[in-house]
């Protein structure tokens, strides 16, 4: 509890003790009323003060005004214990709500505990000085010891270690890091000491951007939140005027008909009506539900920029994917080695890797990575790159040619036609065809299961848009069982495809586009929901999308939708429950069947139950 909450708890205990004592005091009339003013003042002075300030500022109709009128009226009519009890239980409910909100904020803060407190800068004598991360300039070398958070984005200049990125990505597997690799703020250094040269100011670092997104997500309200805000604006004045009418009209009608007016009976009913009508349960629990949902998503490495986007995720029926980097790894891997006669797979790969050893082309890199051994520079000579064809070189004294079919034709060599999907590197050794190596962009692990999960979640159509060739695109689409694929597209063509899909769907159905957030900014902004995937450390992705997935796991899309639907289900449960209970109790209160104690349940009890239900949004199974 906070200091303020502890003070409220003390006031509640004091008022409750005084209320119990006064129940046994043998006094009546005005003297008993004066004694009851003591616990009433202890527990209710702040509510009365807020009600008066609200009236002075023209904001009359709120829960403070309702409680003030109801309890002061009850005290004035001699219902002393009921008046104090209503204020007491209202304060208990408010304290419970404050503690619950604080607890959920603490949970989210713990889950997103990535804000660094300091940065270490090495002094001339070798000692470490702790400084505020805001004061560290770009290009400064900072030291991160084992167990400390990386405070600012940068590049490792010394040391090797493993980093825990779970606070950012929701994944528990540590990430290996070494010299010349980029490091983002918010990760925890687990093993070795690292020296990092900063590449950004703290305010522009990943950790600052993420925290800003989470903290400001409440600025973008969902339709449900906007509905409750508007509802409360009209609902509260309506029930106040209804209570006034209930207090005046029946007695006046009785007088006209020649019956006793019974003013006190109808005024008590009107005051009970006011207590029942307080909209706290809705006003508090619904924003808390969305706040909990956004926090739970953040813990899973899913950043949602507002409750409006969280709500839209639950209505998503069309999901459109970019291919490279989203459904595939976006890096070339050797997927097949096909040696010719008199050559083994190892020999073929070795010749190709050495021939391509001086090239920085992605295909050359994939050959060297697949070979996996140290390449001795002395084994290679006479390297010649032939533009648009490939490369020739002497490897261990043998003439090696590695490249495409054009290179083999120029050497007048018969070669094997490839039937697979991907880029082919043909290899010839001393004028003899040695075979070919197939290199392709690999489908991400779990991508197939992610598409199946989306369809099981009620998504009508999964579509892939890519600038890649038709053969490659159709192969990937077939592997993943996608409903539709469009290939060989320019960025403008992707926007056109999304436009057509938007026109074909109904207004209530939402379309989400999933891309890397860098090359797909126009499409991300055009879709109903833009989802940037694999955005760890990518400023462009964080800026462009409405929802940011901090790792490369496509299964997070279905998880985000599941979080959204659970959150919306809880919101609707609270709305229906609160309105139903209040409607029943309001009717009973108007008829004189429900007394002040029923009113307390209808207000405080409903609020407590709704808040407890809302807290469930924080608990999401990440599987």
């Amino acid at each position: 509890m906070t200091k303020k909450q502890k003070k409220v708890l003390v006031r509640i205990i004091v008022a409750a003790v005084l209320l119990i004592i006064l129940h046994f005091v043998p006094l009546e009339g005005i003297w008993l009323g004066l004694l009851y003013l003591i616990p009433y003042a202890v527990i209710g002075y702040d509510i009365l003060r807020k009600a008066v300030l609200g009236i002075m500022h023209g904001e009359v109709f709120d829960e403070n005004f309702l409680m003030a009128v109801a309890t002061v009226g009850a005290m004035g009519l001699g219902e002393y214990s009921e008046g104090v009890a209503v204020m007491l239980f209202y304060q208990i409910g408010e304290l419970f709500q404050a503690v619950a909100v604080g607890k959920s904020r603490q949970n989210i803060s713990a889950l997103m505990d990535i804000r660094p407190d300091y940065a270490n800068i090495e002094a001339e004598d070798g000692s470490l000085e702790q400084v505020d991360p805001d004061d560290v300039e770009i290009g400064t070398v900072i030291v991160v010891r084992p167990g400390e958070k990386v405070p600012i984005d940068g590049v490792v200049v010394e040391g090797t270690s493993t980093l825990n990125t779970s606070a950012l990505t929701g994944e528990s597997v540590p990430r290996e890091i070494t010299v010349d690799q980029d490091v983002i703020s918010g990760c925890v250094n687990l093993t070795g000491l690292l020296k990092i040269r900063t590449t950004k100011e703290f305010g522009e670092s990943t950790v600052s951007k993420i925290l800003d997104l989470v903290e400001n997500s409440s600025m973008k309200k969902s339709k449900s939140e906007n509905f409750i805000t508007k509802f409360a604006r009209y609902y509260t004045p309506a029930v106040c005027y209804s209570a006034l009418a209930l207090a005046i009209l029946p007695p006046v009608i009785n007088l006209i008909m020649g019956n006793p007016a019974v003013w006190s009976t109808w005024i008590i009913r009107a005051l009970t009506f006011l207590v029942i009508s307080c909209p706290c349960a809705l006003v508090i629990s619904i924003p808390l539900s969305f706040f909990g949902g956004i926090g739970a998503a953040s813990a899973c490495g899913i950043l949602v920029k507002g409750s409006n986007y969280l709500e839209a995720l639950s209505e998503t029926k069309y999901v459109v994917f970019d291919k490279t980097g989203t459904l595939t790894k976006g890096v070339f891997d050797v997927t097949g080695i096909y040696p010719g006669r008199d050559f083994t797979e190892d020999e073929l790969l070795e010749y190709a890797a050495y021939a391509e050893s001086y090239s920085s082309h992605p295909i050359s890199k994939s050959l060297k990575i697949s070979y996996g051994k140290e390449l001795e520079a002395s084994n290679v000579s006479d390297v010649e790159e032939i533009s648009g064809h490939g490369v020739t070189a002497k490897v261990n004294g043998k003439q090696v040619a590695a490249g495409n079919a054009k290179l083999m034709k120029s050497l007048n060599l018969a070669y094997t036609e490839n039937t697979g999907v991907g880029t082919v590197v043909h290899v010839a050794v001393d004028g003899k065809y040695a075979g070919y190596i197939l290199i392709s962009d690999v489908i991400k692990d779990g991508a197939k299961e992610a598409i199946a999960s989306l369809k099981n979640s009620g998504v009508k159509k999964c579509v892939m848009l890519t600038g890649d060739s038709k053969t490659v695109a159709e192969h990937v689409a077939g592997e993943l069982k996608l409903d539709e694929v469009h290939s060989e597209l320019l960025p403008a063509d992707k926007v056109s495809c999304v436009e057509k899909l938007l026109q074909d769907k109904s207004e209530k159905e939402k379309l989400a586009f999933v891309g890397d957030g860098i090359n797909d900014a126009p499409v991300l902004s055009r879709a109903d929901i833009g989802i940037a995937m694999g955005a760890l450390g990518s400023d462009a992705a964080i800026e462009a999308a409405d929802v940011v997935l901090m790792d490369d796991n496509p299964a997070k899309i279905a998880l985000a939708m599941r979080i959204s639907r659970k959150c919306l289900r809880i919101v609707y449960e609270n709305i229906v429950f609160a309105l139903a209970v209040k409607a029943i109790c309001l009717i009973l209160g108007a008829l004189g069947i429900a007394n002040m104690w029923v009113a307390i349940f209808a207000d405080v009890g409903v609020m407590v139950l709704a808040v407890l239900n809302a807290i469930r949004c924080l608990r999401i199974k990440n599987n």
Side-chain angles (χ1 to χ4, degrees):
M1 280 191 183
T2 64
K3 192 174 180 180
K4 182 179 179 182
Q5 290 167 357
K6 288 177 181 177
K7 285 183 179 179
V8 174
L9 180 61
V10 170
R11 288 169 53 203
I12 287 171
I13 294 170
V14 171
V17 170
L18 290 175
L19 186 61
I20 293 168
I21 293 171
L22 288 174
H23 184 70
F24 299 101
V25 172
L27 287 175
E28 292 182 2
I30 191 169
W31 297 108
L32 183 63
L34 290 173
L35 288 176
Y36 267 105
L37 283 177
I38 298 172
Y40 180 77
V42 169
I43 196 63
Y45 74 87
D46 56 334
I47 301 298
L48 296 176
R49 178 173 170 274
K50 289 175 185 175
V52 171
L53 289 174
I55 294 169
M56 290 172 62
H57 291 107
E59 299 173 0
V60 178
F61 300 110
D62 60 10
E63 59 268 23
N64 297 308
F65 175 78
L66 295 180
M67 286 297 111
V69 172
T71 54
V72 169
M75 298 287 286
L77 291 171
E79 303 287 342
Y80 305 126
S81 60
E82 284 85 349
V84 176
V86 167
M87 191 64 82
L88 176 65
F89 282 102
Y90 176 74
Q91 290 282 37
I92 291 173
E94 287 289 294
L95 177 62
F96 177 84
Q97 172 257 322
V99 171
V101 172
K103 183 76 167 66
S104 26
R105 286 186 183 275
Q106 286 172 12
N107 288 347
I108 293 167
S109 298
L111 296 171
M112 291 294 293
D113 185 20
I114 56 178
R115 186 188 297 277
D117 301 314
Y118 59 87
N120 296 317
I121 295 180
E122 192 170 9
E124 291 181 3
D125 60 358
S127 63
L128 295 181
E129 179 187 357
Q130 291 187 354
V131 299
D132 191 315
D134 277 315
D135 296 334
V136 178
E137 296 180 354
I138 295 173
T140 304
V141 175
I142 59 175
V143 179
V144 183
R145 293 173 293 193
E148 293 182 331
K149 299 184 189 77
V150 177
I152 305 170
D153 294 6
V155 178
V156 177
V157 294
E158 186 180 321
T160 59
S161 183
T162 53
L163 299 179
N164 179 359
T165 63
S166 59
L168 300 173
T169 66
E171 299 298 327
S172 58
V173 180
R175 174 185 167 197
E176 299 293 329
I177 200 78
T178 187
V179 175
D180 292 333
Q181 288 188 312
D182 292 329
V183 180
I184 61 169
S185 51
C187 300
V188 178
N189 184 19
L190 296 178
T191 53
L193 184 139
L194 293 174
K195 291 187 178 181
I196 300 168
R197 179 176 288 108
T198 61
T199 55
K200 296 179 183 176
E201 294 180 348
F202 175 68
E204 293 300 316
S205 288
T206 303
V207 64
S208 295
K209 288 180 178 291
I210 291 171
L211 289 168
D212 183 63
L213 283 179
V214 175
E215 289 165 4
N216 293 321
S217 61
S218 60
M219 301 297 289
K220 297 174 181 177
K221 291 189 175 183
S222 66
K223 290 182 288 185
S224 300
E225 286 181 288
N226 286 326
F227 162 73
I228 291 303
T229 303
K230 291 177 183 177
F231 174 80
R233 193 181 301 154
Y234 296 105
Y235 167 80
T236 308
V239 294
C240 287
Y241 291 128
S242 299
L244 184 63
L246 186 63
I248 296 174
L249 292 180
V252 170
I253 292 171
N254 280 335
L255 287 174
I256 293 172
M257 296 178 66
N259 299 322
V262 202
W263 287 98
S264 61
T265 299
W266 290 102
I267 290 174
I268 289 174
R269 290 186 185 182
L271 296 175
T272 303
F273 188 91
L274 279 180
V275 174
I276 294 169
S277 67
C278 189
C280 295
L282 294 174
V283 173
I284 293 166
S285 68
I286 290 169
L288 180 61
S289 299
F290 282 107
F291 183 74
I294 289 171
S298 299
C300 298
I302 304 166
L303 301 184
V304 185
K305 291 189 178 180
S307 53
N308 54 335
Y309 302 122
L310 188 68
E311 186 174 44
L313 276 170
S314 68
E315 302 167 347
T316 300
K317 296 297 179 185
Y318 294 81
V319 181
V320 182
F321 294 90
D322 175 45
K323 181 184 77 71
T324 306
T326 303
L327 294 175
T328 63
K329 292 182 178 179
V331 292
F332 288 101
D333 281 349
V334 172
T335 55
I337 302 174
Y338 304 94
R341 188 178 299 174
D342 302 329
F343 291 91
T344 66
E345 289 187 6
D346 290 342
E347 287 174 335
L348 181 64
L349 182 58
E350 181 178 359
Y351 284 126
Y354 269 104
E356 298 274 4
S357 61
Y358 284 94
S359 174
S360 60
H361 191 279
I363 289 175
S364 304
K365 288 181 179 178
S366 67
L367 289 169
K368 287 178 273 190
I369 291 170
S370 183
Y371 180 59
K373 298 177 185 177
E374 189 74 27
L375 293 170
E376 298 290 340
S378 59
N379 293 344
V380 187
S381 63
D382 300 336
V383 179
E384 181 184 356
E385 190 160 341
I386 305 169
S387 180
H389 289 70
V391 65
T392 61
K394 275 196 174 180
V395 178
N396 293 325
K398 294 187 177 183
Q399 186 67 33
V400 178
N404 55 25
K406 292 178 184 178
L407 181 61
M408 295 298 105
K409 287 177 181 177
S410 68
L411 297 173
N412 295 315
L413 291 176
Y415 60 92
T416 305
E417 291 285 353
N418 167 49
T419 55
V421 177
T423 301
V424 175
V425 177
H426 295 282
V427 181
V429 179
D430 284 341
K432 183 178 180 180
Y433 184 69
Y436 71 93
I437 298 171
L438 185 64
I439 299 172
S440 56
D441 193 358
V442 182
I443 294 172
K444 282 183 180 177
D445 298 332
K448 189 173 182 179
E449 291 77 9
I451 299 297
S453 181
L454 284 172
K455 291 183 177 179
N456 290 335
S457 299
V459 172
K460 288 183 178 180
K461 188 180 283 188
C462 291
V463 182
M464 185 177 76
L465 308 179
T466 179
D468 214 334
S469 68
K470 184 177 181 181
T471 306
V472 172
E474 289 182 348
H475 170 74
V476 172
E479 285 286 314
L480 298 178
K481 293 182 169 54
L482 295 167
D483 301 300
E484 198 174 305
V485 59
H486 300 273
S487 57
E488 301 176 2
L489 301 174
L490 296 172
D493 299 327
K494 291 183 180 181
V495 175
S496 300
C497 287
V498 168
E499 290 279 5
K500 188 175 185 307
L501 288 167
L502 287 169
Q503 291 172 4
D504 293 342
K505 71 178 183 63
S506 70
E507 190 175 339
K508 289 184 179 179
E509 295 173 331
K510 300 298 182 187
L511 181 144
F513 179 82
V514 189
D516 60 17
I518 300 170
N519 302 319
D520 298 308
V523 204
L524 283 167
S525 59
R526 182 62 192 92
D528 294 321
I529 310 164
I531 302 176
M533 190 172 179
L536 191 60
S538 169
D539 294 339
I542 291 174
E543 294 295 331
D546 307 315
V547 178
V548 181
L549 308 185
M550 296 304 292
D551 63 7
D552 280 335
N553 186 357
K556 291 287 179 72
I557 303 165
L559 176 61
M561 291 174 62
R562 193 161 73 246
I563 291 171
S564 168
R565 285 171 181 168
K566 179 177 180 178
C567 180
L568 264 291
R569 186 170 66 250
I570 289 171
V571 166
Y572 294 144
E573 286 171 0
N574 281 346
I575 290 174
V576 172
F577 172 69
L579 291 180
V581 171
K582 285 190 178 291
I584 293 168
C585 292
L586 283 172
I587 294 169
L588 295 177
L591 296 174
I593 299 172
N595 57 20
M596 277 285 183
W597 296 105
V598 175
I600 290 169
F601 167 75
D603 176 34
V604 179
V606 170
M607 179 179 71
V608 168
L609 292 174
V611 168
L612 280 173
N613 194 35
I615 291 174
R616 288 172 51 225
C617 288
L618 278 167
R619 294 189 291 274
I620 300 291
K621 291 182 180 179
N622 189 4
N623 54 42

